Structures are given as C-alpha cells and as structure tokens.
Amino acid sequence: MTSAALAAQERQGCSARSGRLLKPALSYIGRFIQAMQEGLWDPKKCPDGWIPLVVAENKLNNEEVLARLQEGSKDAPTWVMNYGSMRGVPELQSAMAGMLERFLLPGFAVDPSKLCISAGCTAILDNLFYALCDEGEGVLIPAPYYPAFDNDLQAKCCVHPLPFYLSEEAAAGGLPIRQQLDAAVEDARGFGVPVKALLITNPNNPLGTIYSDETIKETIAWCLDNRVHYVSDEVYALSVFKQQARFTSALLLAQQLVDTPSAAAASNSSTAAENGADGSAAAAGSTPAAAAAADGDAAAASLASLSLADGGSGSSNDGSSGSSSSGGSYSQRQVDNYVHMVYGLSKDWCASGLRVGMLYSRNTRLQKALDNISAFPSISNFVQWGLIQMLNDHEWAAAFLQRNQRLLEESYDGLTGALEAEGIPFTPAVSGMFVWVDLRRWLPEPTWEAEEEFWRNVCDRCKVILTPGKDCHAAEPGFFRLCFAWMPPKALPEAVRRIKLLMGGGSSGGGSSECSVQ
C-alpha cells in the first residue's frame, strides 16, 4: 500500500483538509461542557456548582426578547414556508436598515439591498474573508482579540490571522498609528504573508474599551492608501453601558474621509432614492437623540443620549474636535470598495441562539459573490418574520436597549466592585460584557506554562472558568478575560471570592490557600 493510501486510511476516508478542523475552536470548550454536565452555581440548589465566565453571551434579558418574538410570530404569513432571498428577505433588510439608521448610524442612509443577513457573524466573517482573501493571505487584528477569530479565518478560508499590538498612545512617545501598521505589514512580509485586510472589533472584545474616532479614521485612511480592506466588527455597538462613553461607527467615520462632504451626502441620498427610502433619516451632523426626538420617540431619544455617538460631529472620544490628518482626501468609490461593517443581534439583543449576523458593504463585486455563497448560511424565513416585527417596533427596541445597557452596567459594577475589594487589578471597561483582569503577580513565573497551570487550578479547585490570555494573544502571560453577562449577577462576587482564596494573600506565587467551594 502506498504512503498516500495509508494516509487516506488513517483519515478514515476523510479529506486531508479535514485535519485542520479537528482542533477545538476554543481551548476551554471541554471544561465548559464539563461544567454544563456537572451543574452550574445556584445559591440554593447548587452552591458548589460551576461558574463559567468564558461565554461572550448576554443572557440578562433573554425573556423580553423571546416574548417579543413570540408575539410577532403569531400571524406569520404563508410565504415563510417557501424559499426567499438567501441574503435576507427584503422586509428584514429594510427593518434592519431602519434599526441601524435609528440607533447606530444617524445621518447615514443605509441601502437595504447592500445588507447581507446570514446565520450569525461567524458565517458572515467566513463568507466575507473567503471573498476578500486568497488562501495564504493575512488579516491584521489588534490584540488582545476574540479567541475564535483564529478558527473563523483558518478553518475553511485558510487565511492567516496576524495579531499585532496597536497603541493609541502616540502622544506619549509611542509610534504613530500608521507606523505601527506599517511595522505589522513588515512583520507579516517576513513570514511570507501578504496583508489583505484589517479586522478591528470596536467596542473591543476582550477589553470592553472603545477606540478613539481619530484612531479609527487613521486606520481606515491607512487601509485606503494601501488597498487593504477595513472590516469593522461592531457587534457590541449598542452595549455601551457607561454614560461618559461614546462610540462612532466606522461607516460614519469613513464618510468623513471622502474628499467632498457634499458628494458623500449626495451618494447616500442617491442610494436611498434608488431603493425607495423615504428620506426620514436624521440629517448629517445630527445626534441619535435628535433624530429620535424628531420622530417623537422619547425612549429612543433617551437611549441615544445615554450611550451612542454623535455620528456627524467628527469629535474624538476625549472630547477634542478637529478632523483626521487624512480627512477629505478619498473618493466615495474607495470607501465603498474597502470599508465593510459587520453587526449582529447576538450581543446587543440577547439573541445569540437566533444566529443573525449582517454585513454592510457597497463593494459591488463582493455583493455579487455573496449572492452565491449566502445560500449556505441563510436564516429561516419564520425567524426572519419575527425579527421584522421586533425591529420595526421602534419604541419597544429603544426601551429594550436602554434597559439592557442598565443591566450590563449593574453586572459590571458588581464584578468590578468585588475585584476592587480583593485588590485584583483590571482594565476599566465601558462597553460589551467583559473585564480584562491582571493576575500576573500571582503567577509563580511569567511564562505561558505558568498561566496554563494557574488556569487549570482555577478550574479544578474553584470550579470557575476564565478565558486564558494566551487564547486572546495577550502580550504577556497572566491576563484573563471574565465575561459577566452569562451567569446571574450574584454569581460574580462568588467567583471572585473563590479565585482570591486560591491565590491567597501573597503578592507572588500561586498562593497557599485552598479554594473554598461552598
């Protein structure tokens, strides 16, 4: 038997490429399954149960979303039983466009036909990078980042994730943004990997922070100059829970780079006209609060003023004004071809089980490619019908988002209060559902092996599961991600108590105290 035949026999008849799918997408998935089988913490029923803090999922208000979907699905029409557009039925595209204009993209006319809606953001990213990149090309990703991005890019597309460290502290002596990106490209070139795209999650996972408007504009301008695709992952855009924080979508910031603002506005207006838009979106430069107030929607206005960005002001997060150094020097066509935005309902809308993700791009060739491959991860028409009713209910949506932000803040405050009480340092967050904790001083030595051993001890002795920093491509060992919206808020101080007992009172070493699970 030939060596090739022996190899095929060992693969049990499966393809050679199936080998790269055998590694779990997440290193900690086995412990999570164990936790689910053995029982989760409950103060009365299971006080010694597991507390997984690894799931980037918001369960704080599942019931309200489910109730609204059930209400909207009662009178589903018969067309939900038949084939429809694989990119999302037109009614859902319009509802999604309206939601984006209202809450995320004030002053931006979203063309519903440019929305591709698929079964979750993982499917969106898979199709997107399949169409943008050839096998062996690379995608720059600022680290630390979402652990599953590696699998999302590699499993089918064979695209290289390229972690690098993006510092916004140029004013404090660091390299300017452009030089950092150039250096990352040079590093990739050293490995023989050409850079085809830049993927930025903003608000950030795992840090829970927001990049400044100026940083985002500089990165977009660099991408346009170098013909690199800019992919903005904005799945936490409406989970900004601290009132002082402001988030601005990359789509809005990219428009500020177009050479003539009037041309950019005309482009948006003509796009809306082509698709029958009613022109009711807020004018460029207005705030989400003003747009909502103009419609007489007090709940939406309150939500917008609480946590969303002024989409047309061009102000940075630190309150300073002024335009990017590269502002006003790019054509609308450049922006349309190279800037893409990913969003979904999993995080902000407590609906990860519905599997609803979307891509907004005005790249015509990409859109034609998505016409073909969107058939594979399409969403059931019945689910789409329920979402149409939910997203078109603007008053309910605005009130829900506001309540959800309040619940996120309460959970965050509960977790960080416990961390502060125990003297555990962390990165202050303003969005998302994560806290990035610094446990370096409790490692016996600054190695990845020591981090892994510490992580195993927390699992085995405390029944608490954390996301290891190594999985997020942390710069050094000892950082961990804690997700605070999957377990009940009361479980969070209990998890911190257990971890602290394991670490003991010392400032170095693994600690001598046994974790008390009770």
Side-chain angles (χ1 to χ4, degrees):
M1 185 178 292
T2 66
S3 58
L6 285 171
Q9 187 175 25
E10 290 177 358
R11 296 195 302 267
Q12 297 176 269
C14 293
S15 67
R17 65 186 177 187
S18 66
R20 64 175 180 263
L21 306 178
L22 302 182
K23 179 184 176 181
L26 300 168
S27 70
Y28 44 83
I29 191 66
R31 289 305 184 107
F32 177 73
I33 293 173
Q34 178 185 355
M36 295 298 290
Q37 291 172 340
E38 295 182 0
L40 301 180
W41 176 88
D42 181 277
K44 295 182 179 179
K45 298 178 182 179
C46 191
D48 62 344
W50 285 81
I51 305 178
L53 302 180
V54 291
V55 188
E57 181 178 31
N58 185 351
K59 292 170 61 177
L60 299 177
N61 212 358
N62 284 157
E63 293 80 2
E64 185 176 354
V65 180
L66 179 59
R68 186 63 187 84
L69 282 170
Q70 290 173 331
E71 178 185 349
S73 300
K74 291 178 180 177
D75 300 316
T78 55
W79 63 256
V80 303
M81 306 303 293
N82 306 116
Y83 289 127
S85 170
M86 298 302 172
R87 296 159 47 97
V89 298
E91 294 88 346
L92 181 57
Q93 289 177 314
S94 294
M96 191 75 77
M99 180 273 292
L100 292 173
E101 289 179 348
R102 192 172 188 81
F103 299 117
L104 184 55
L105 298 167
F108 187 99
V110 178
D111 181 348
S113 71
K114 300 301 189 292
L115 283 170
C116 179
I117 304 171
S118 296
C121 288
T122 297
I124 287 288
L125 291 172
D126 182 44
N127 280 351
L128 175 62
F129 287 112
Y130 187 87
L132 294 183
C133 303
D134 286 313
E135 184 173 337
E137 293 182 327
V139 177
L140 292 174
I141 313 176
Y145 61 72
Y146 168 53
F149 274 156
D150 290 343
N151 190 72
D152 292 349
L153 299 184
Q154 294 173 312
K156 290 172 61 180
C157 298
C158 297
V159 172
H160 296 288
L162 302 171
F164 74 106
Y165 300 97
L166 181 66
S167 172
E168 297 187 85
E169 303 303 322
L175 285 176
I177 297 295
R178 283 176 170 270
Q179 291 185 32
Q180 295 179 55
L181 292 166
D182 289 340
V185 170
E186 284 302 312
D187 288 343
R189 187 175 290 125
F191 292 103
V193 179
V195 171
K196 194 63 177 292
L198 171 65
L199 170 60
I200 290 186
T201 301
N202 189 35
N204 183 270
N205 171 7
L207 301 179
T209 55
I210 298 174
Y211 291 103
S212 74
D213 290 358
E214 289 305 310
T215 293
I216 296 300
K217 286 200 283 188
E218 280 297 314
T219 55
I220 294 173
W222 179 88
C223 285
L224 297 177
D225 287 339
N226 291 278
R227 296 186 180 181
V228 168
H229 290 278
Y230 185 95
V231 179
S232 185
D233 173 4
E234 301 182 6
V235 295
Y236 301 100
L238 300 179
S239 292
V240 180
F241 53 78
K242 289 298 181 182
Q243 292 189 30
Q244 76 277 12
R246 292 293 180 266
F247 166 80
T248 310
S249 171
L251 292 181
L252 295 173
L253 296 173
Q255 284 303 134
Q256 296 177 17
L257 300 177
V258 175
D259 53 3
T260 54
S262 59
S267 174
N268 279 332
S269 298
S270 62
T271 299
E274 289 170 3
N275 292 277
D278 61 9
S280 61
S286 66
T287 64
D295 284 344
D297 190 335
S302 178
L303 166 73
S305 63
L306 171 67
S307 66
L308 303 185
D310 182 343
S313 70
S315 60
S316 62
N317 288 343
D318 62 6
S320 63
S321 60
S323 60
S324 165
S325 60
S326 301
S329 56
Y330 302 95
S331 70
Q332 187 66 50
R333 183 176 180 181
Q334 285 176 290
V335 170
D336 290 352
N337 283 343
Y338 285 98
V339 179
H340 321 279
M341 188 265 276
V342 174
Y343 184 70
L345 304 187
S346 293
K347 314 300 183 181
D348 295 339
W349 301 84
C350 303
S352 52
L354 294 181
R355 310 307 304 132
V356 181
M358 55 130 284
L359 170 73
Y360 189 78
S361 174
R362 294 185 287 197
N363 182 308
T364 55
R365 183 180 178 91
L366 173 61
Q367 289 292 341
K368 289 178 181 178
L370 294 172
D371 285 340
N372 184 320
I373 57 176
S374 292
F376 297 104
S378 59
I379 309 169
S380 82
N381 286 346
F382 187 78
V383 169
Q384 292 191 62
W385 172 256
L387 291 173
I388 292 164
Q389 314 313 307
M390 184 181 86
L391 295 177
N392 280 335
D393 187 346
H394 295 154
E395 184 177 355
W396 175 88
F400 167 79
L401 290 170
Q402 191 171 17
R403 284 191 292 272
N404 187 56
Q405 290 170 355
R406 187 164 57 247
L407 291 172
L408 286 170
E409 184 174 26
E410 289 172 0
S411 286
Y412 170 81
D413 289 346
L415 175 58
T416 56
L419 292 170
E420 289 173 345
E422 297 292 357
I424 298 175
F426 61 91
T427 299
V430 297
S431 57
M433 50 204 68
F434 329 98
V435 173
W436 187 246
V437 297
D438 179 0
L439 304 182
R440 286 177 295 176
R441 75 172 184 261
W442 286 282
L443 297 187
E445 55 184 10
T447 65
W448 296 114
E449 292 76 15
E451 178 184 282
E452 183 178 0
E453 179 64 22
F454 181 92
W455 179 83
R456 280 200 300 266
N457 283 335
V458 173
C459 288
D460 294 338
R461 296 160 63 182
C462 301
K463 290 188 175 181
V464 175
I465 313 177
L466 313 176
T467 305
K470 184 179 181 180
D471 286 40
C472 301
H473 296 275
E476 57 182 302
F479 291 91
F480 297 85
R481 183 189 71 169
L482 281 62
C483 301
F484 59 76
W486 195 80
M487 287 294 290
K490 291 182 179 180
L492 304 175
E494 169 65 11
V496 174
R497 182 191 70 82
R498 294 182 186 182
I499 296 170
K500 184 61 176 180
L501 283 173
L502 172 67
M503 297 188 302
S507 61
S508 64
S512 58
S513 300
E514 284 294 327
C515 176
S516 174
V517 179
Q518 60 184 19

